[in-house]
Each structure stands twice: as structure tokens, then as C-alpha cells.
Amino acid sequence: MPDILESFSQENIVAVAKELANAGIAAFPTETVYGLGADATNDFAVAKVYEIKNRPTFNPLIIHFQNADEAFKHVVSNDIAIRLAEKFWPGALTMVLPRRVESNISLLASAGLATLAVRVPAHSVAQKLIAMVGKPLAAPSANASGKISPTSAAHVAKSLGDKISMILDGGDCKVGIESTVVDISTTTPTILRHGTIVREDLEAAAGVKFSEATEIGIKSPGQLLSHYSPSIPIRLNAISVDADEALISFGDSHIAGAKHTVNLSLSGDLVEAAANLFKVMHQLDSSHYTGIAVVKIPDDGIGRAINDKLRRAAHQNK
Ligand code: TXA
Ligand code: MG
């Protein structure tokens, strides 16, 4: 079982902050639900979050900041974002905005998208933790994929206890449901996920109408997003490679004749492969190769999310 650390002790917050600063993973309280935290600028830490949650896809994560100024260093704000931030931050609102090119947030955390979901949590423990780590924290709800979001340390322990070593216990979450997610990266502001900050509140603060994602019963808006794909063709389960194709390999698999090979993980570690995936795709996308061949990637654990991503990428540019 993980260490359940009372958050009224400064020493405990320091211990968790150290773990996070060293690419570790820990659960922490926010006013909405408990988050499974990782240094959002570290691909490997972010890959571990996906693995621990056992998500079959890379559904992008919310990035938590100390304040709006810090958040707006990573995303391009606009008038609506500024008004919403003034009214609802710190608090239970997540805004999806265009990612700044200079942002050092892990590409994996936003599943390679051109946008980032940002939030400034109000919980004092979350605030102290973010300040102490000195980095934004990527944090999905601290439950296994498809299970109910946790509103107490005991819920987290029940769902993920065998997979994490630390839970910072801040008591029961006051809000108890996940933050409202709004997409204000486009000209029509859209509510992607409903929470305690409702349409009327948003419209009053922003002075504009919001539309709603029309799909029925959306659980994870991330799955509706058009996914990032390289602009050059990508082939999966390759056993040969063309002269002008780049090769993405994994472990000890190599293909004779490949001129340019990038290995996702020489040691055959799927978490490391996930951490490298988006970086490698971006890198090859801006190269002179005319296509990308990818060797077969094992379909276990986080390998499922890697394969899901690769299949979407291959399908999209057909
Ligand atoms: O209250 C909350 O928001 C909690 C606490 C821990 O902050 N976090 C949370 O995270 O609920 P998670 O990962 O369980 O949900 C994040 C949601 C997902 O539905 C995801 O699809 C969406 O936010 N999301 C993240 N980045 C996005 C993006 N760039 N565009 C659209 N949706 C995004
Ligand atoms: Mg969730």
C-alpha cells in the first residue's frame, strides 16, 4: 500500500514535492477531485501517469499552475480567457487554449495536440505543492481509467493503491466533481465537460454565448479531438523499409536497409517508448523523409495507447 501522508504536515508536502520534482508520481488533493500528479514538463513522468491509469488512449491531461500568469506563459490567452481567469481562478474551471510554441510542457501530456488544457486549482495543499515543485503539474483524476473519480485519499488508495507510493491526504474534496472544461481556442467558446461552474456563470463572466459539444454522453472530450498526425504517411507493423522512409523501431528489432532509425526504447521499455513517441513523430515530420515505417509495438499495458495513437496517425493521413 502507498504512504498516506497527512497534508497538514509541511514535512509531508516537502516529501511529495521532492518525489514529483524527481520525475516521480504522487496523488494530491484539489478542490474538485484528487489528481494523479506528475511534472508536466517531463515526458517520462507523464508516460508513467498514463501507464498507472491504464488508459487505452492518450487522452490529454489537465496542466495545473500556481496562478494565471504562469498558465498564460504556456498558452495564448484571449479576452474571454482573461475574464474567465479573473472570475473563476483559482477554481474548478479548466480552459483549453492554443499552446505556445515555446512551452516546455510535455507533448505527451497534451497528446501532441496544438492546445493545452490549463487550470489553477484553489485547494491550498495543491497550491503549496505546485509552488514547491516549481513546475506545472499534469494531473488527471487519480482513478484507474473508467472508474469513478476519487474525492478522498481512501478512494485513491482503493483504485490505484498498488501502483503508486504516495498519496497526500487533504481530506474530502469540497467540490467533489471534476472541473468544468471549456474550449476557448476557437471563435466559438464551447463547454466540453460540465462541472459546478455552469453555462450561465460562464456566459455572465465572459459576456459571450457558449455552445456545447453536441455528442451525447461525452465522458472524455479528448476522444473527440482530431488527433495529431504527422503530415507524411505512416505505416505500421513494418517488416521492410523503403529507401526514403524513416524507421521507428523498438527494443532490439531492426530492419536491414533502414537509413534513418529512431528507437523509441532500446531496452524495450514501453513507458520510455510512450515518453518518446510524440517527440519522435514531430521530429520526423519536419525531416526530409517521405514516410515513416514503424515496427510492431507490443500491445500490452501502455503499448495499447501507443498503438491506438499510431493507428489514428496512420489512418488520418491515408
Ligand atoms: O477537476 C479536474 O479537472 C481534475 C483535477 C485533478 O484537476 N482533473 C481531471 O483530469 O479531471 P482528467 O484527465 O480526468 O480529465 C481531463 C479532461 C479529459 O476529458 C480530457 O479529454 C480533457 O480534459 N482535455 C485535456 N486536454 C484537452 C485539450 N487539449 N483539448 C480538449 N480536451 C482536453
Ligand atoms: Mg477523469
Side-chain angles (χ1 to χ4, degrees):
M1 280 309 267
D3 291 334
I4 298 186
L5 305 163
E6 296 292 349
S7 66
F8 52 72
S9 147
Q10 178 81 357
E11 211 179 299
N12 285 343
I13 303 184
V14 170
V16 172
K18 273 196 185 139
E19 176 76 9
L20 293 171
N22 290 317
I25 306 298
F28 66 95
T30 83
E31 72 280 22
T32 57
V33 299
Y34 274 72
L36 186 63
D39 172 355
T41 66
N42 185 305
D43 286 323
F44 194 72
V46 169
K48 281 193 269 187
V49 166
Y50 285 109
E51 190 203 38
I52 290 169
K53 280 194 63 106
N54 198 20
R55 275 186 173 170
T57 56
F58 294 121
N59 194 6
L61 309 178
I62 295 173
I63 315 300
H64 299 69
F65 296 87
Q66 223 182 316
N67 53 48
D69 285 348
E70 285 299 318
F72 292 152
K73 283 182 192 165
H74 293 268
V75 288
V76 182
S77 69
N78 54 42
D79 289 349
I80 297 175
I82 291 166
R83 275 180 239 139
L84 293 178
E86 269 169 11
K87 177 80 183 168
F88 300 112
W89 278 357
L93 180 70
T94 296
M95 295 196 248
V96 173
L97 284 162
R99 177 192 177 104
R100 287 190 191 274
V101 272
E102 67 270 25
S103 171
N104 65 346
I105 301 290
S106 155
L107 288 173
L108 183 63
S110 58
L113 297 169
T115 52
L116 276 182
V118 296
R119 173 161 112 80
V120 176
H123 199 292
S124 63
V125 173
Q127 292 211 342
K128 279 187 205 157
L129 192 63
I130 296 168
M132 236 180 248
V133 177
K135 302 270 181 62
L137 297 180
S141 50
N143 52 282
S145 181
K147 301 284 192 262
I148 300 163
S149 290
T151 58
S152 71
H155 292 165
V156 179
K158 198 170 161 215
S159 188
L160 298 175
D162 54 341
K163 299 202 174 95
I164 58 177
S165 60
M166 283 181 171
I167 302 172
L168 192 54
D169 186 351
D172 289 348
C173 300
K174 283 212 182 83
V175 176
I177 62 167
E178 292 109 326
S179 61
T180 302
V181 181
V182 292
D183 183 352
I184 40 178
S185 66
T186 62
T187 44
T188 323
T190 307
I191 301 171
L192 296 180
R193 182 173 75 184
H194 292 278
T196 48
I197 295 171
V198 299
R199 166 199 284 280
E200 290 73 17
D201 305 329
L202 295 164
E203 293 184 343
V208 291
K209 292 269 169 221
F210 275 68
S211 66
E212 276 175 48
T214 46
E215 281 80 353
I216 300 156
I218 306 163
K219 279 238 181 80
S220 21
Q223 299 189 333
L224 302 170
L225 307 168
S226 59
H227 281 254
Y228 163 76
S229 311
S231 54
I232 53 178
I234 171 162
R235 286 195 298 122
L236 309 186
N237 303 321
I239 47 168
S240 65
V241 59
D242 294 344
D244 44 8
E245 266 182 333
L247 179 69
I248 296 180
S249 66
F250 173 80
D252 56 9
S253 55
H254 41 81
I255 294 179
K259 284 202 192 111
H260 182 67
T261 303
V262 192
N263 200 308
L264 290 176
S265 169
L266 278 168
S267 64
D269 175 355
L270 285 167
V271 178
E272 184 182 13
N276 287 327
L277 182 66
F278 288 95
K279 236 181 343 211
V280 165
M281 285 206 284
H282 274 274
Q283 190 188 317
L284 294 178
D285 204 9
S286 51
S287 70
H288 60 277
Y289 297 98
T290 54
I292 302 171
V294 190
V295 301
K296 192 175 169 66
I297 309 284
D299 205 39
D300 352 292
I302 197 172
R304 286 182 305 145
I306 296 175
N307 282 317
D308 171 72
K309 179 66 221 171
L310 287 170
R311 271 193 302 270
R312 286 170 195 261
H315 182 75
Q316 209 157 293
N317 56 24
K318 264 209 178 110

